[in-house]
Amino acid sequence: MASRPGKTAPRLLQDLLSYDPLHPAPNNRNILTNSAPRYADGAQPPSMVARNTCRHSFMNKADQCSLPFSDARPDASTYYKVAAFCQECRCHLDLEVNVPISQGGQACPNFENPLHHFRYVSQKSSSRGKSHGEHWTDEQCFECTSLTCGIIITIRISAPRLTPEFVGLLTDQKKIDERARAAFKDDPERFKAELTPPPVTTVLRTFQTYLSDSLKTLEVKRFSALNKRFLTCLGDPCSQMLKYFGFTYSQADHSWTLPQPDKSLETPTQDPLRILLQDVEEEIKVLLSKRPWQEKAELNIQFLPPPSIKELERSLGCLDYEKNVFSRKAVDLTVEEHPYYASLGAVADFSDKLLLFAYDRQRLCDPDNAPYYLECLQDLAKGRESESLQTQVAIMESEGQISRRDVGKAYAYFQLDPQSKDLDDEYILNVFQSRVVDAPRQESEMRQKLRIIGQIRRSDKIQHVASNTVSTYEQALAWLNADENTGDEFIVTMLTVKLGDNKNDTEIGRNAVSIIAEKRNSEALRSWLKTGELGEVEMDVGQAYTRLGIEDRTLEDDMILTTFEIRVQEAPSQLQDLRQALKAIAKSTGSRRIETFLGTGMVSPEHVPSEWPVGLENIGNTCYLNSLLQFYFTVKPLRNLILDFDQFRMEMTPENLQRKQVGSRKVTIKEVERAQKFVYELQRLFRSLIAARTSSITPEHELARLTLISSDNEEAFRRMSMVSGDGRPSIGEINGAPFIGPLGPPQSSQDMDVDGDLLNQDRRQKADGDNSSEATLVDPPAYDDTDYTTINATDLEQQQQIFEDKENLAPIKAVGSEHPSSPNHPEPLHVSSPSKLNVQETLPISNGEHVYQASDIVMTNGLSSPPQSEKPIAPDRPPPVPPRPKTTEQSKKAPNDVELGAQQDVTEVIANVLFQMQCAVKPLSIDSSGEQIDQIKDLFFGKTRSYIEAGRNIRTKEEFFSDIKVDVASGPRDIYSALDGAFDVQEVVVERTSARQYALISLLPPILQIQVQRVQFDQAKGASYKSDAKLGLEETIYLDRYMVSTDSALMERREESWKWKDQLRVLEARRTALTKTDMDIDLPDALDLAKGYLSSIQGSEDDDLIIINPDLTQTLEQKASEVRDEVRDIESGIKDLKAQIASQFTDLRKLPYRLHSVFIHRGSVSFGHYWIYIHDFERNLWRKYNDGYVTEVKDRAEVFEQDSFHPATPYFLVYVRDSEQVTLVDSVCRDIPPQEPESDPVDAWAGEMETDDQPVQDIKVDWAGIPLGTTHASDDWDSKGAFNPNGW
């Protein structure tokens, strides 16, 4: 049987009560036969019933039923029938139960199957005559899915016997009055005493009497057509109705003879006429029951027959099934059950046992959708608060069952689209293998995700790779990344490298070595498996060349080293094995150059160590940290400040602390101490980068901790445990509590939400005016009503210079009102999506009486934050890992590695770093607001001036900014188009008055930082995503166009450019309307397809097809041509406007800035890798800093272009003032101390040390060549944990 879900008997019965064939659901879904729609968490499930659907209340038709006994068990001769009618809509139901004669086994319910589980059988179902007014019948067939049962259920629903016309004759008082008055008029003498027409109840009872006599009286019975009661109640207008129901009229004596149905006592009744008359009589009772109580009180109205629900339940085998016990809870019967119940074919009152039964049957019948059914069960178990059910779910998960959420997360983890037609197993495995190479420490997690994908795709190939099992010689070699030419000694080496990434694979690895040992009959490998010792075996030179993939043994040293570099980049985890091969070649050829290369660790032989930067090793998903540290190291003034920090260090006197204000707030002594500790750690790293003899060094954990977490969040982290289940270490501990990952900039302590989502709290906008981490570096200063000056437009020129000297504020582009209906909180006009500057405060606006924050202003062509009552915007990355219990062994282990559970944003770390450096140094000066001015502020902070124009009034405000945010979410754009979004005019509403807002730069920083906003939130999917849209970079940008100026001609140019952009938006919107359809094809193509289809109908010889107006196809063709012409005109207009916009300011070139650094990210919102490109202005080359590797960029397209497939995208840009590039940045700063003569250069790679009686060990050293962990004289921390700078 095909994979198709079913439903249990109670579910079938519940759906039957809502099944109305005359009123289908809006989406044409059939609640009885179609499977329940897939429900997405948080979405509105599609309705399975129409609004006017009848909720049936069925009543028995006893003579037509064949009901089971209370203790009867179905067998091969079983036939049950429940006949009923609905007391609401009067439709008729026949439910028949048949057991196939050939069916053996035990029918449900039984021990294994406590209920029937039915599936729809379309081949045995039919629907006839559903047009309104016609007698229709809808027949549906279902079969029990149990192999031991096989009961067949036939559900037949038919239309009421009394058509709307007949009902009108019997219940329309106006028609009754007309019939009665006609009878009075024809024979007034006879009806002299009866001049009042009968009520509806009398008419119905009269007709009911005729029907009852027909069914109960054995003799033939007649009545006169001239009978006074007949004439006033029915008369000649009802003659057609009477004939339809079997009444016969005699013209000779003007009489009516009652119908003559079969009056035998056989049940269920088989005579069609008797069934017809019984059905009509029951419908008459329904009509009588719905009459007003005043009418019914005058007659002895019979009660309706008993409900048939018990008979239906008994026939379906679900009478008194086990129900859920709602202890101490009130059940709200007005609340609809969760749609997950329908998806499982269950009902809400099922016991946990029956819910599990329904789940098991659905998984068995519809294995393709098993993950969705597990998701249903997971959420129902949680919603029912059932401990036993949640336990069963946990067992299922441990057994490898997966949910729909698991599947979605697995595909998203690898950035795969499960709906893509091009997605095959090979492609998925290729993506997996590339990810493992990039991030070997995450291989275990990747295999878990791959297993889920293989399971849902039913791919043995994928599941085999994911399971990481080894059973053959070929699989053993593949698991170790080896081949048949790999020597035994390197088999063990490769196993060691492999297990270095994941110790959990030890058993698999030993099994792989065992298989290889047996295949090769290798005593060496067998000895290693038993004793753990293989013996010293040098790699054969032939194996060495083969290992490096070199066929020509006459290659020059340069080519050999280049090949080695390529192999290392392809497989960094095999470095040691590759070095052994290179060492063997060096020994064989006597190459001093290769030996020197092995000793210095420099990747490229042409790079002299003293002229090449040092890499930073990744200590656990810290690629973003490494990128940031490399960038700071190249900033010459900052590097000098760090290296000579004692000259700039702030003395912690009470006077200095009293006036210390950073980010418009007071700084505590604890924060200053911590900040100075951070700078000394940074100083230690910088010294190592200058003096290291190796190609890379490892950052200290303490530096990572201080960089990635702000002081105000330390208390919060004490309340969180984020140690992963596999026992891998974290960055460090705060009072014994391990923590993971960087946080954003520090908040003031009173605003700190220690119980919130710590990794996301910086991004949440606060009601008190604090900006998110994307919008601010430090806390906002306080403002009063006097901070704004209102300027009349006629005085603007005279006052312009004055305002250029004022403190400015950057525009806030993404602010919304919490009270859109309030008169003080303006409404939006229209929508677009500009960028915003990273500023230090929201923008107050004064009207002379009140000061409104920028959060009260709705940028009508900007992104507005939703009101609190709306659904909150989801965070742009996953929440932190929930706490897990810590083992005793783990709690005693000192942290020695970095583990970051969630991908972080470089800009968050930048905010914390800049804040701490400002806290650590003494001020150069103090501005009028008390803010500290220092070297950090002078290097990285500029000022913007924001304007709000309302009529002839212009309001301005200045403020510092640390970076400019540009948006690429709406599509690819060049750097100027992106920057324009931060400064273009915005239409806002202030005090119910339309106004304009725009921004200009009043002071440029020497180092200009630009953040590229790529994380967006998809409202439809309810999830964040990363935009990979291309951002076109320029080596040099000119910022004249964005500067404050008294030149009126420049302002006119800006106005003209803004006007063109408005026109461009209109044209682009029109193009979208003309080209985009729901079918993802252009509108002209859709019109062509429609024309082609209609033409094919016209050319067909089928007489049953509809007639097509011949002018219609011509109209479609003409319309398609018109749309194409309009689109061509629009495209031309868009091209011209873009050219005009692009060339508007090209002649302004007095303020050049050169591109210095490009932070790159490849991956998704929740997964990926950072590296950085840094330009060396002195040598005119670009370098790629990828963790421990620093390489030269041979092709500049690598920096300035993006791949079309999973591109590496710029996330953060740094431009430097062109006139000061020599003094601002310096990419290479090296001073390597002489190497000690006793060291063997061949074995000096990365701190390796070898003795006669000890194996080679990998010992990490600091800049002075001292093994890490050794106490330095400079490590001057007293017993209380306070820092003593005297040792530095």
Side-chain angles (χ1 to χ4, degrees):
M1 187 176 290
S3 176
R4 191 172 67 253
K7 57 185 70 177
T8 60
R11 180 82 243 173
L12 179 66
L13 179 55
Q14 183 167 309
D15 290 346
L16 174 61
L17 297 179
S18 298
Y19 178 52
D20 188 349
L22 275 186
H23 300 97
N27 49 16
N28 289 322
R29 296 187 70 92
N30 188 317
I31 190 174
L32 198 61
T33 61
N34 292 145
S35 58
R38 299 276 190 92
Y39 173 70
D41 191 16
Q44 182 67 28
S47 176
M48 290 291 286
V49 295
R51 289 185 177 181
N52 53 350
T53 294
C54 176
R55 306 285 182 172
H56 299 305
S57 177
F58 288 117
M59 302 292 163
N60 274 337
K61 296 189 291 187
D63 289 346
Q64 300 178 29
C65 293
S66 177
L67 302 176
F69 296 108
S70 58
D71 57 349
R73 298 284 305 173
D75 55 30
S77 61
T78 293
Y79 172 79
Y80 301 149
K81 178 182 178 183
V82 178
F85 65 94
C86 177
Q87 68 169 344
E88 300 297 333
C89 67
R90 297 181 292 109
C91 71
H92 296 268
L93 166 70
D94 289 337
L95 187 145
E96 298 178 352
V97 180
N98 288 277
V99 178
I101 297 178
S102 60
Q103 182 67 39
Q106 186 179 14
C108 302
N110 52 50
F111 179 77
E112 293 184 358
N113 300 288
L115 290 172
H116 287 295
H117 183 265
F118 295 109
R119 269 202 302 200
Y120 174 60
V121 183
S122 58
Q123 299 86 345
K124 300 179 181 180
S125 304
S126 64
S127 296
R128 303 184 299 275
K130 285 190 180 179
S131 61
H132 185 70
E134 183 179 353
H135 186 79
W136 52 264
T137 300
D138 186 270
E139 184 175 305
Q140 310 294 351
C141 188
F142 299 84
E143 183 177 4
C144 183
T145 60
S146 171
L147 297 178
T148 63
C149 182
I151 279 182
I152 296 175
I153 302 293
T154 302
I155 297 175
R156 190 178 301 108
I157 298 180
S158 54
R161 305 295 194 172
L162 290 172
T163 65
E165 179 186 359
F166 294 163
V167 173
L169 290 172
L170 297 173
T171 61
D172 189 336
Q173 189 65 55
K174 183 177 179 181
K175 293 181 179 180
I176 295 172
D177 292 349
E178 290 177 353
R179 293 198 299 267
R181 291 192 181 94
F184 299 159
K185 183 177 179 181
D186 290 342
D187 195 350
E189 288 297 326
R190 188 178 179 201
F191 291 96
K192 182 171 24 178
E194 300 179 14
L195 296 180
T196 302
V200 172
T201 50
T202 302
V203 174
L204 291 173
R205 287 300 298 270
T206 299
F207 188 44
Q208 182 188 16
T209 301
Y210 294 149
L211 295 173
S212 179
D213 288 345
S214 300
L215 291 167
K216 297 177 181 178
T217 306
L218 295 178
E219 66 274 10
V220 177
K221 200 166 185 179
R222 303 167 65 191
F223 63 87
S224 172
L226 301 178
N227 179 281
K228 291 170 59 177
R229 186 172 184 180
F230 172 77
L231 288 174
T232 56
C233 291
L234 300 173
D236 186 61
C238 296
S239 59
Q240 292 300 321
M241 179 185 72
L242 295 175
K243 292 177 181 179
Y244 178 83
F245 292 122
F247 290 77
T248 57
Y249 178 69
S250 174
Q251 187 70 33
D253 57 359
H254 300 288
S255 65
W256 285 93
T257 302
L258 298 182
Q260 297 298 311
D262 179 19
K263 297 182 176 64
S264 66
L265 299 179
E266 177 189 5
T267 57
T269 299
Q270 301 296 325
D271 178 38
L273 181 57
R274 183 178 178 183
I275 293 174
L276 173 64
L277 297 179
Q278 286 178 344
D279 290 352
V280 175
E281 185 178 15
E282 300 297 351
E283 291 183 35
I284 293 296
K285 294 178 183 178
V286 171
L287 295 177
L288 283 169
S289 68
K290 295 182 179 300
R291 300 307 300 167
W293 67 270
Q294 297 92 338
E295 296 183 19
K296 293 189 290 185
E298 300 176 1
L299 299 172
N300 182 20
I301 302 297
Q302 298 180 12
F303 291 103
L304 292 170
S308 58
I309 188 68
K310 293 295 183 182
E311 284 70 23
L312 290 170
E313 290 176 342
R314 184 178 293 112
S315 299
L316 292 174
C318 60
L319 181 64
D320 298 328
Y321 60 83
E322 185 178 335
K323 294 180 174 62
N324 189 25
V325 178
F326 296 92
S327 59
R328 297 183 301 278
K329 289 186 179 180
V331 180
D332 187 354
L333 299 179
T334 65
V335 178
E336 293 188 7
E337 67 178 12
H338 197 285
Y340 279 154
Y341 285 108
S343 296
L344 292 178
V347 292
D349 65 354
F350 266 15
S351 66
D352 290 350
K353 176 182 176 182
L354 288 185
L355 198 58
L356 287 170
F357 164 74
Y359 165 74
D360 289 336
R361 296 308 300 177
Q362 290 293 66
R363 272 188 90 245
L364 181 65
C365 295
D366 188 20
D368 292 343
N369 293 308
Y372 172 61
Y373 298 134
L374 181 58
E375 179 181 317
C376 296
L377 190 64
Q378 288 172 335
D379 284 7
L380 290 178
K382 182 178 180 181
R384 291 161 69 107
E385 300 179 2
S386 169
E387 183 177 347
S388 62
L389 200 55
Q390 293 183 55
T391 301
Q392 290 297 321
V393 169
I395 293 174
M396 295 173 188
E397 294 169 344
S398 68
E399 293 172 346
Q401 294 187 32
I402 57 176
S403 70
R404 183 176 61 172
R405 291 192 188 95
D406 296 331
V407 175
K409 290 178 180 178
Y411 278 112
Y413 186 89
F414 293 108
Q415 292 183 277
L416 299 173
D417 179 8
Q419 305 302 323
S420 174
K421 297 180 180 178
D422 299 328
L423 191 65
D424 55 22
D425 290 356
E426 289 298 330
Y427 180 85
I428 294 172
L429 291 175
N430 288 338
V431 172
F432 165 74
Q433 295 295 346
S434 66
R435 288 289 180 84
V436 170
V437 172
D438 288 343
R441 289 173 182 250
Q442 299 176 10
E443 180 176 352
S444 178
E445 181 181 5
M446 292 182 192
R447 291 190 183 277
Q448 293 177 7
K449 304 297 185 184
L450 187 67
R451 177 188 64 80
I452 293 172
I453 294 176
Q455 190 172 337
I456 194 63
R457 295 174 67 90
R458 298 184 182 178
S459 169
D460 294 336
K461 185 175 183 179
I462 293 180
Q463 292 192 67
H464 174 73
V465 173
S467 64
N468 208 19
T469 56
V470 174
S471 58
T472 66
Y473 177 65
E474 290 75 15
Q475 291 174 358
L477 291 174
W479 192 87
L480 291 169
N481 296 318
D483 56 35
E484 294 183 354
N485 297 319
T486 304
D488 289 351
E489 66 278 11
F490 289 110
I491 291 294
V492 176
T493 301
M494 297 176 79
L495 174 62
T496 303
V497 173
K498 185 84 171 181
L499 296 182
D501 298 331
N502 188 356
K503 298 297 184 184
N504 294 330
D505 293 338
T506 300
E507 290 302 321
I508 300 175
R510 291 182 62 84
N511 181 48
V513 174
S514 176
I515 292 173
I516 295 173
E518 294 304 318
K519 177 69 175 180
R520 297 181 176 182
N521 194 24
S522 170
E523 292 298 332
L525 291 179
R526 292 193 183 105
S527 174
W528 180 84
L529 288 168
K530 293 179 180 178
T531 66
E533 296 182 0
L534 182 67
E536 184 66 28
V537 180
E538 289 188 1
M539 182 182 290
D540 179 75
V541 67
Q543 291 180 340
Y545 280 107
T546 301
R547 181 69 187 87
L548 292 176
I550 299 175
E551 297 180 358
D552 184 2
R553 299 193 182 187
T554 64
L555 281 180
E556 297 290 335
D557 289 349
D558 287 347
M559 291 301 298
I560 292 175
L561 292 173
T562 300
T563 303
F564 170 80
E565 177 185 351
I566 293 173
R567 297 291 179 260
V568 169
Q569 290 180 344
E570 290 175 343
S573 62
Q574 300 177 26
L575 172 63
Q576 296 301 326
D577 187 35
L578 293 169
R579 279 181 45 76
Q580 288 292 336
L582 194 61
K583 186 176 180 180
I585 294 174
K587 184 176 181 180
S588 174
T589 61
S591 170
R592 185 62 185 171
R593 184 169 188 178
I594 296 180
E595 290 179 353
T596 302
F597 165 72
L598 286 167
T600 62
M602 303 310 297
V603 178
S604 299
E606 68 270 18
H607 298 150
V608 179
S610 60
E611 298 179 0
W612 200 253
V614 177
L616 293 175
E617 292 295 336
N618 191 315
I619 55 176
N621 293 350
T622 54
C623 46
Y624 50 84
L625 172 65
N626 292 340
S627 300
L628 182 62
L629 294 176
Q630 293 284 17
F631 159 60
Y632 282 139
F633 183 73
T634 64
V635 180
K636 197 171 182 179
L638 177 63
R639 185 175 66 215
N640 293 338
L641 182 149
I642 298 299
L643 293 173
D644 200 12
F645 176 57
D646 286 341
Q647 289 190 18
F648 304 97
R649 176 176 171 271
M650 190 195 80
E651 297 294 332
M652 286 183 283
T653 64
E655 180 183 359
N656 288 342
L657 291 171
Q658 178 64 30
R659 66 175 184 169
K660 185 77 169 179
Q661 180 173 306
V662 177
S664 301
R665 73 171 176 89
K666 295 295 183 181
V667 179
T668 66
I669 185 173
K670 180 179 179 182
E671 289 176 313
V672 175
E673 289 176 344
R674 187 182 191 276
Q676 293 184 355
K677 179 181 177 183
F678 161 72
V679 175
Y680 278 118
E681 288 291 337
L682 193 59
Q683 183 187 75
R684 181 176 180 175
L685 176 79
F686 281 9
R687 289 177 177 175
S688 297
L689 288 172
I690 293 172
R693 288 189 291 268
T694 58
S695 63
S696 64
I697 61 174
T698 302
E700 290 290 338
H701 293 84
E702 182 66 8
L703 174 60
R705 184 183 73 85
L706 293 170
T707 306
L708 302 179
I709 181 171
S710 64
S711 59
D712 285 318
N713 290 328
E714 286 189 349
E715 178 63 29
F717 268 107
R718 293 191 185 101
R719 306 174 69 174
M720 300 177 65
S721 174
M722 294 188 177
V723 178
S724 58
D726 58 4
R728 292 176 292 179
S730 60
I731 289 178
E733 296 185 354
I734 303 175
N735 291 347
F739 69 93
I740 297 174
L743 292 182
Q747 307 285 337
S748 59
S749 58
Q750 62 268 29
D751 294 334
M752 184 64 194
D753 178 13
V754 298
D755 292 326
D757 182 347
L758 296 176
L759 290 180
N760 291 310
Q761 72 178 35
D762 319 282
R763 293 180 172 271
R764 294 198 294 262
Q765 187 155 345
K766 300 181 180 179
D768 60 3
D770 290 350
N771 292 330
S772 69
S773 63
E774 290 186 354
T776 185
L777 178 67
V778 290
D779 284 9
Y783 282 84
D784 56 29
D785 294 347
T786 63
D787 283 341
Y788 273 87
T789 304
T790 302
I791 309 172
N792 190 283
T794 58
D795 300 326
L796 179 59
E797 278 190 275
Q798 291 82 354
Q799 299 295 327
Q800 189 73 33
Q801 186 59 41
I802 297 176
F803 293 124
E804 288 181 349
D805 296 333
K806 287 177 65 66
E807 191 177 18
N808 282 302
L809 180 67
I812 302 296
K813 306 289 187 178
V815 195
S817 170
E818 294 184 1
H819 309 284
S821 61
S822 171
N824 294 332
H825 296 76
E827 304 287 345
L829 300 179
H830 62 275
V831 177
S832 67
S833 55
S835 302
K836 57 185 177 183
L837 294 176
N838 188 0
V839 299
Q840 292 182 284
E841 192 197 45
T842 54
L843 174 64
I845 300 170
S846 172
N847 65 356
E849 298 177 2
H850 304 283
V851 175
Y852 302 106
Q853 293 295 325
S855 59
D856 297 333
I857 303 174
V858 178
M859 296 303 173
T860 57
N861 54 348
L863 294 173
S864 298
S865 300
Q868 289 182 347
S869 60
E870 297 179 5
K871 181 180 179 181
I873 295 178
D876 57 2
R877 57 180 177 272
V881 180
R884 292 174 180 156
K886 195 177 179 186
T887 64
T888 304
E889 181 180 354
Q890 288 171 340
S891 63
K892 294 179 180 179
K893 186 186 298 183
N896 60 1
D897 203 352
V898 174
E899 172 67 20
L900 298 175
Q903 175 193 330
Q904 303 299 322
D905 198 329
V906 169
T907 55
E908 296 182 355
V909 187
I910 290 176
N912 187 38
V913 169
L914 294 181
F915 175 80
Q916 291 195 91
M917 287 193 289
Q918 287 187 275
C919 288
V921 301
K922 55 189 174 184
L924 296 174
S925 62
I926 305 295
D927 70 6
S928 58
S929 67
E931 181 73 9
Q932 169 177 305
I933 305 299
D934 49 47
Q935 293 87 346
I936 308 303
K937 205 93 169 181
D938 288 344
L939 273 175
F940 297 101
F941 285 79
K943 288 184 178 181
T944 59
R945 181 177 302 167
S946 183
Y947 298 83
I948 292 183
E949 299 179 354
R952 297 183 61 83
N953 291 329
I954 300 178
R955 304 169 187 175
T956 67
K957 183 65 181 180
E958 283 192 340
E959 179 61 305
F960 286 104
F961 71 92
S962 63
D963 63 55
I964 301 175
K965 299 191 182 302
V966 300
D967 177 29
V968 295
S970 56
R973 58 184 60 188
D974 60 65
I975 185 64
Y976 283 115
S977 298
L979 284 170
D980 287 350
F983 301 98
D984 281 347
V985 68
Q986 310 290 311
E987 192 171 354
V988 300
V989 176
V990 181
E991 303 167 15
R992 299 188 178 274
T993 302
S994 178
R996 301 195 320 160
Q997 181 186 14
Y998 59 91
L1000 298 173
I1001 299 175
S1002 59
L1003 175 65
L1004 278 168
I1007 298 176
L1008 178 66
Q1009 302 178 115
I1010 301 174
Q1011 182 193 354
V1012 185
Q1013 294 182 303
R1014 294 188 176 275
V1015 176
Q1016 303 294 322
F1017 185 72
D1018 189 329
Q1019 296 285 356
K1021 296 181 179 179
S1024 299
Y1025 70 95
K1026 174 193 169 188
S1027 169
D1028 287 331
K1030 179 180 178 181
L1031 176 64
L1033 304 180
E1034 296 284 346
E1035 288 197 59
T1036 303
I1037 59 174
Y1038 300 91
L1039 301 177
D1040 310 54
R1041 65 187 70 182
Y1042 305 116
M1043 299 301 297
V1044 170
S1045 173
T1046 57
D1047 184 1
S1048 59
L1050 178 57
M1051 192 63 198
E1052 290 176 0
R1053 284 208 224 181
R1054 290 174 182 147
E1055 294 283 359
E1056 189 174 29
S1057 177
W1058 295 338
K1059 179 181 177 182
W1060 290 338
K1061 289 176 182 178
D1062 287 339
Q1063 296 173 2
L1064 181 61
R1065 280 191 287 268
V1066 172
L1067 288 180
E1068 289 176 337
R1070 178 59 178 166
R1071 179 178 60 181
T1072 300
L1074 292 176
T1075 56
K1076 301 299 181 183
T1077 66
D1078 293 338
M1079 298 178 290
D1080 291 331
I1081 59 175
D1082 289 348
L1083 179 59
D1085 293 340
L1087 293 172
D1088 288 341
L1089 291 173
K1091 170 184 171 275
Y1093 175 71
L1094 294 177
S1095 298
S1096 66
I1097 294 178
Q1098 286 179 324
S1100 174
E1101 298 180 357
D1102 192 343
D1103 295 336
D1104 294 335
L1105 293 177
I1106 60 175
I1107 304 301
I1108 303 299
N1109 186 336
D1111 295 335
L1112 183 55
T1113 56
Q1114 183 177 356
T1115 301
L1116 289 173
E1117 181 178 7
Q1118 179 181 354
K1119 191 62 178 177
S1121 177
E1122 291 175 357
V1123 172
R1124 286 192 174 93
D1125 291 342
E1126 184 177 356
V1127 170
R1128 277 194 294 270
D1129 292 341
I1130 290 174
E1131 294 284 3
S1132 177
I1134 290 175
K1135 182 179 179 181
D1136 292 343
L1137 282 172
K1138 286 184 176 180
Q1140 289 175 302
I1141 295 170
S1143 62
Q1144 181 73 340
F1145 303 100
T1146 53
D1147 59 318
L1148 303 179
R1149 306 169 71 89
K1150 294 181 180 180
L1151 295 174
Y1153 271 67
R1154 295 286 300 279
L1155 183 60
H1156 170 255
S1157 302
V1158 182
F1159 290 76
I1160 295 292
H1161 178 265
R1162 185 195 298 277
S1164 65
V1165 171
S1166 57
F1167 178 90
H1169 178 61
Y1170 278 105
W1171 65 88
I1172 186 174
Y1173 295 107
I1174 298 179
H1175 188 234
D1176 188 332
F1177 291 106
E1178 181 180 353
R1179 298 165 182 79
N1180 193 27
L1181 60 86
W1182 283 91
R1183 294 186 183 91
K1184 178 181 181 179
Y1185 297 71
N1186 190 357
D1187 289 336
Y1189 295 99
V1190 182
T1191 56
E1192 182 179 351
V1193 177
K1194 302 296 185 181
D1195 185 359
R1196 295 198 175 200
E1198 180 180 340
V1199 180
F1200 292 93
E1201 300 293 334
Q1202 292 179 211
D1203 298 332
S1204 58
F1205 180 72
H1206 290 319
T1209 53
Y1211 240 84
F1212 198 81
L1213 312 174
V1214 179
Y1215 281 85
V1216 298
R1217 187 175 291 149
D1218 184 55
S1219 61
E1220 301 178 34
Q1221 59 178 257
V1222 176
T1223 59
L1224 286 175
V1225 290
D1226 180 19
S1227 297
V1228 179
C1229 180
R1230 304 282 271 119
D1231 185 10
I1232 306 175
Q1235 186 168 348
E1236 298 180 10
E1238 59 269 20
S1239 299
D1240 183 357
V1242 177
D1243 296 324
W1245 177 278
E1248 291 180 357
M1249 304 177 66
E1250 185 174 2
T1251 63
D1252 293 336
D1253 56 353
Q1254 270 190 328
V1256 175
Q1257 299 182 15
D1258 184 13
I1259 301 179
K1260 299 179 180 179
V1261 299
D1262 68 1
W1263 63 273
I1266 302 174
L1268 294 179
T1270 304
T1271 303
H1272 289 255
S1274 57
D1275 294 338
D1276 295 324
W1277 299 85
D1278 62 26
S1279 60
K1280 298 181 180 180
F1283 179 72
N1284 182 352
N1286 295 330
W1288 291 90

